[in-house]
Amino acid sequence: MTTPFPHLFSEIKVGTALLPNRLMMGSMHTNLESHDEAIPRLAEFYAARARGGASLLVTGGYGPNRAGNVGGHDTSFETVERADAHRQITEAVHDAGGRILLQILHAGRYGYHDGIVAPSPIRAPINTFTPRELDDAGIRETIADFARCAELAKRAGYDGVEIMGSEGYLITQFLAPRTNHREDDWGGSLENRARFALEVVRAVRAATGPDLIIMFRLSVLDLIDDTLSLEETIWLAKELEKADVDIFDTGIGWHEARIPTIANAVPRGAFVWAVERIKKEITIPIIATNRINAPDLAEEILAEGRADMVALARPFLADPDFGSKARAGQPELINTCIACNQACLDHYFVDKTATCIVNPLAGHETEYDMSATPAPKKIAVVGAGPAGLSCATTAAQLGHHVTLFERAAEIGGQFNLAKAVPGKQEFAETIRHYGARLAHLGVSLQLNVQVSADTLNGDYDEVVVATGVEPRRHVIAGEDHPCVASYTDILSGRVVPGKRVAVVGAGGIGFDVAVYLVEKTDRAHLDEEAFLQKWGIERERSQHGSEHDVVMLQRSEGSMGKHLGRTTGWVHKIALRNAGVRQLSGVAYDRIDDQGLHVTVAGEPECLEVDTIVICAGQVENDGLAETLAGADRPVHLIGGAKEAGELDAMRAIEEGLRLATCL
Ligand code: NAP
Ligand code: SF4
């Protein structure tokens, strides 16, 4: 088969294995690693990605011992029983034509439990636990545990191991003067600090023989002070190669770095240059990572010789068939990862199973019946926002005859607003994907149609109402003043805001609007150079200035943004702080008039003299059609925001659409 991505789909030798393509599914912690009863789920999760074109996969992180666990659950891979149970995973992946490595991750001082150890007893700034210092015997035992873990991985049928040597975990903690204050053979000089990493690799090779793939995840950019210089990293890479590493995966930034590395604030492929500069110095293959979410970008990186393979972790959550669609020349059908972290990493950090907002099937493959319907029906779906699109495409995929109505001139609903927010441009890819799937699946799309009961008088067997939400109005006296706009007016470009802007409401959309106001002319979300400058990577911080003076307000007390995503919210907060956005909590709204917005804060009245007031006070259900259809002689289903506007997010909307479609 010819493919538009010939470099991506060319063979590569890794150790003694010949892989049919250069597409790897990178490690993604799912939160199922500690649950042996979830092994059937994991087996299907990985097998689906192998069937979908990943020639090599890496599991989530498993500790070589309990001290190395990342969280309170036991993810250590140190018993024969656990290894034997994992045969189900390796066999499923092998049957699907893929190869899979077990990631061995010792968290060191990043572990979130009271048994953590590290080269020196220095607490990480992102942890509340302080590690115990390993003594010489403890270090040697830990190395032996890595080797034993790799042996068990081999017993389980894994094709190799990935030794986690990046992101600030134990191995990097030994390497960096920042975290290694030892004065024995394991600290001090670079040779001493690198001894742990090198001994781990040698011990793993000695324990497992020549055929097991050893991948080492190398930190090619730490993004914090007092770690390795570029020259030292190159020296380390060469020594690891001599120690018989087969291939380097790469990592960008320690977790304590305050620079985004995978969030949607990072332009696509923004860190490939850091991989490239190591590639020039080594002879074994090296893998590029971070914000590679499209086959054309992967192809370009490989064609230009900047890396030997590409690793995609989140994009394989978003679409298990990323590889097969790319190979078949159907990249437009790929459900693209939008780098929101909302259902993958943010779930992981609150002890929920990682999944994906644009693909709620991820990690739940065994819970939905996706087999074709034996009794195809005629289904009308009203509303082409995320919920309606999800329902219409899934229903059509399962064999139903679907008509999708939308009152606007385009599909996408609220995603059309989101894509206008700097850093959220990837939301446009979800709309593109749905558009391509509607056409591919033969869904009849009726745009510019305001649906009434009469419209649905056709012979539809069932009707799905996915008409979404309306902004909440009438929250402040004087809201009909010409200076007042809704967030939909601003983000759609219908209203051009003045210089001084008050944002009423500081939920997800209040933050989106504030970011839009202060960053809409900032190229840092799209352009690699601008991004590197803005975040001070190798260069001065850029002097980007905001066009607007913005004040954000909320009635609740306390700091703003508590409910933003854990792994992305801080990026927005830094951006707003740097832009000088004023934030007022505990506000009572008095009225709006020609002077501006009158509020009372801590008992003191204040008039905010602003040119534009943007209301971002949540939403209400747009469910009028459902009320009209009540009592109809066929089933009417309500999903997404039309069903319940409170705390609606894209995940819930898309999941409700998917779930309903499987039950029609
Ligand atoms: P939201 O998160 O519920 O926030 C609504 C805001 O309006 C709150 O700050 C609330 O704060 C204020 N408010 C509520 N009723 C009000 C009233 N009667 N008068 C004045 N202020 C009022 O809703 P949203 O910001 O519209 O977001 C909608 C959904 O989309 C949410 O579920 C959100 O999580 C999701 N979303 C998420 C993101 C993200 O980045 N993760 C981005 C956008 C949207 P006070 O009550 O304290 O004033
Ligand atoms: Fe990508 Fe967001 Fe899905 Fe995570 S939840 S895989 S970041 S689209």
Side-chain angles (χ1 to χ4, degrees):
M1 182 200 289
T2 54
T3 167
F5 308 108
H7 293 86
L8 187 55
F9 293 97
S10 63
E11 292 177 340
I12 180 169
K13 194 143 187 282
V14 176
T16 55
L18 183 64
L19 305 181
N21 68 48
R22 293 164 184 252
L23 188 55
M24 179 172 99
M25 177 179 172
S27 176
M28 186 79 228
H29 308 316
T30 61
N31 250 339
L32 296 175
E33 286 74 20
S34 60
H35 302 288
D36 285 349
E37 75 284 359
I39 282 177
R41 264 172 86 177
L42 280 175
E44 182 47 29
F45 172 72
Y46 290 122
R49 274 88 196 151
R51 280 195 297 275
S55 64
L56 189 62
L57 299 94
V58 182
T59 64
Y62 288 88
N65 53 35
R66 287 184 176 226
N69 287 339
V70 177
H73 301 296
D74 182 19
T75 54
S76 66
F77 200 85
E78 52 181 349
T79 65
V80 166
E81 290 72 28
R82 183 163 273 183
D84 289 347
H86 271 238
R87 283 208 159 271
Q88 195 176 346
I89 295 175
T90 56
E91 283 167 10
V93 171
H94 293 156
D95 288 349
R99 286 185 167 87
I100 183 163
L101 313 183
L102 182 91
Q103 187 187 70
I104 312 179
L105 183 159
H106 192 306
R109 74 175 191 157
Y110 278 174
Y112 209 72
H113 53 92
D114 57 13
I116 58 175
V117 296
S120 301
I122 308 166
R123 187 173 60 79
I126 54 171
N127 205 344
T128 51
F129 295 97
T130 301
R132 175 175 62 79
E133 180 175 302
L134 280 165
D135 60 15
D136 183 76
I139 292 173
R140 292 179 194 283
E141 271 169 35
T142 306
I143 293 168
D145 290 340
F146 269 90
R148 165 91 177 136
C149 183
E151 269 184 295
L152 289 170
K154 187 174 176 181
R155 177 187 173 107
Y158 282 100
D159 300 279
V161 291
E162 172 170 90
I163 298 171
M164 179 43 131
S166 66
E167 328 294 301
Y169 291 118
L170 183 70
I171 288 178
T172 32
Q173 291 160 26
F174 268 96
L175 287 164
R178 174 189 184 88
T179 42
N180 183 343
H181 292 186
R182 304 179 71 96
E183 294 178 352
D184 60 3
D185 288 350
W186 306 99
S189 67
L190 174 62
E191 286 76 5
N192 279 357
R193 284 182 279 118
R195 193 179 309 282
F196 182 74
L198 293 166
E199 289 297 326
V200 164
V201 172
R202 289 187 193 114
V204 166
R205 179 59 81 205
T208 58
D211 291 337
L212 203 78
I213 296 172
I214 299 183
M215 178 180 285
F216 187 94
R217 189 146 182 202
L218 182 73
S219 183
V220 290
L221 201 62
D222 294 324
L223 300 177
I224 48 166
D225 296 333
D226 210 11
T227 57
L228 299 194
S229 65
L230 174 60
E231 292 69 30
E232 289 172 328
T233 304
I234 291 169
W235 174 86
L236 174 68
K238 289 180 173 171
E239 292 301 309
L240 287 164
E241 193 175 336
K242 284 186 220 159
D244 214 8
V245 164
D246 292 308
I247 182 167
F248 286 117
D249 190 6
T250 54
I252 307 288
W254 287 35
H255 287 320
E256 66 203 67
R258 290 294 87 179
I259 294 175
T261 56
I262 57 168
N264 45 24
V266 181
R268 290 181 179 185
F271 291 109
V272 179
W273 58 272
V275 176
E276 197 178 2
R277 59 189 193 174
I278 305 297
K279 176 172 164 54
K280 291 182 189 134
E281 307 286 341
I282 54 172
T283 60
I284 58 173
I286 189 165
I287 304 172
T289 56
N290 289 50
R291 289 288 282 123
I292 301 169
N293 65 347
D296 53 347
L297 172 62
E299 176 68 14
E300 187 183 307
I301 292 165
L302 297 170
E304 290 175 359
R306 303 177 74 195
D308 301 289
M309 283 186 83
V310 287
L312 288 70
R314 297 173 301 167
F316 267 110
L317 251 72
D319 195 335
D321 297 320
F322 182 102
S324 45
K325 289 175 182 171
R327 186 181 169 91
Q330 297 176 312
E332 72 283 359
L333 290 177
I334 291 175
N335 195 0
T336 303
C337 166
I338 59 177
C340 64
N341 289 354
Q342 234 170 291
C344 50
L345 292 182
D346 287 347
H347 270 202
Y348 175 74
F349 284 117
V350 294
D351 217 12
K352 288 163 75 175
T353 304
T355 181
C356 173
I357 68 162
V358 298
N359 176 27
L361 270 173
H364 298 274
E365 283 80 3
T366 53
E367 293 167 29
Y368 296 83
D369 181 4
M370 296 300 289
S371 48
T373 176
K377 295 179 185 168
K378 289 186 79 173
I379 309 289
V381 179
V382 186
L389 287 166
S390 168
C391 188
T393 50
T394 310
Q397 182 186 329
L398 299 183
H400 296 292
H401 306 290
V402 181
T403 303
L404 175 60
F405 296 96
E406 167 57 48
R407 74 177 168 188
E410 56 183 0
I411 63 167
Q414 297 279 309
F415 269 33
N416 286 308
L417 300 176
K419 74 182 187 193
V421 178
K424 291 198 166 179
Q425 59 281 349
E426 296 279 12
F427 280 66
E429 298 292 346
T430 306
I431 303 173
R432 180 266 306 147
H433 150 256
Y434 276 125
R437 272 187 75 203
L438 291 174
H440 184 72
L441 293 163
V443 172
S444 168
L445 177 61
Q446 310 285 322
L447 295 173
N448 301 304
V449 178
Q450 180 72 51
V451 171
S452 65
D454 288 345
T455 325
L456 298 174
N457 268 344
D459 56 341
Y460 298 108
D461 298 312
E462 304 201 20
V463 176
V464 179
V465 177
T467 41
V469 293
E470 296 285 351
R472 180 178 284 120
R473 297 178 203 278
H474 312 300
V475 297
I476 308 178
E479 207 179 291
D480 53 356
H481 194 278
C483 73
V484 176
S486 142
Y487 66 86
T488 57
D489 297 326
I490 299 296
L491 294 177
S492 65
R494 279 196 300 271
V495 170
V496 177
K499 167 84 179 146
R500 300 164 304 168
V501 185
V503 178
V504 171
I509 289 179
F511 266 83
D512 275 356
V513 167
V515 168
Y516 172 81
L517 291 169
V518 301
E519 298 212 318
K520 66 182 178 204
T521 57
D522 185 358
R523 301 278 310 153
H525 307 281
L526 300 165
D527 178 85
E528 180 178 315
E529 274 310 306
F531 171 78
L532 297 178
Q533 280 194 32
K534 171 172 175 163
W535 291 94
I537 303 170
E538 291 200 330
R539 294 183 182 84
E540 298 280 305
R541 186 173 288 272
S542 73
Q543 294 304 306
H544 165 76
S546 164
E547 289 181 28
H548 301 281
D549 301 329
V550 179
V551 53
M552 296 173 71
L553 304 108
Q554 67 177 13
R555 297 173 304 177
S556 329
E557 299 285 351
S559 61
M560 288 185 180
K562 285 185 204 145
H563 302 295
L564 294 179
R566 181 164 174 165
T567 60
T568 52
W570 61 272
V571 181
H572 303 312
K573 289 183 203 167
I574 289 176
L576 297 183
R577 192 181 62 216
N578 289 345
V581 171
R582 189 178 169 209
Q583 298 189 333
L584 289 177
S585 297
V587 170
Y589 302 111
D590 298 329
R591 66 185 184 285
I592 295 166
D593 61 21
D594 289 346
Q595 270 184 292
L597 173 59
H598 297 264
V599 295
T600 302
V601 189
E604 294 292 322
E606 183 179 348
C607 177
L608 302 168
E609 293 181 4
V610 291
D611 307 304
T612 307
I613 298 166
V614 189
I615 308 292
C616 307
Q619 292 97 16
V620 294
E621 294 83 12
N622 181 20
D623 55 0
L625 178 65
E627 281 173 24
T628 314
L629 296 176
D633 55 357
R634 65 194 149 204
V636 176
H637 309 273
L638 201 54
I639 56 171
K643 181 180 173 196
E644 190 183 344
E647 296 183 15
L648 174 73
D649 60 17
M651 174 78 196
R652 200 187 95 206
I654 292 173
E655 199 280 334
E656 283 183 13
L658 168 74
R659 189 171 290 276
L660 174 61
T662 60
C663 302
L664 287 170

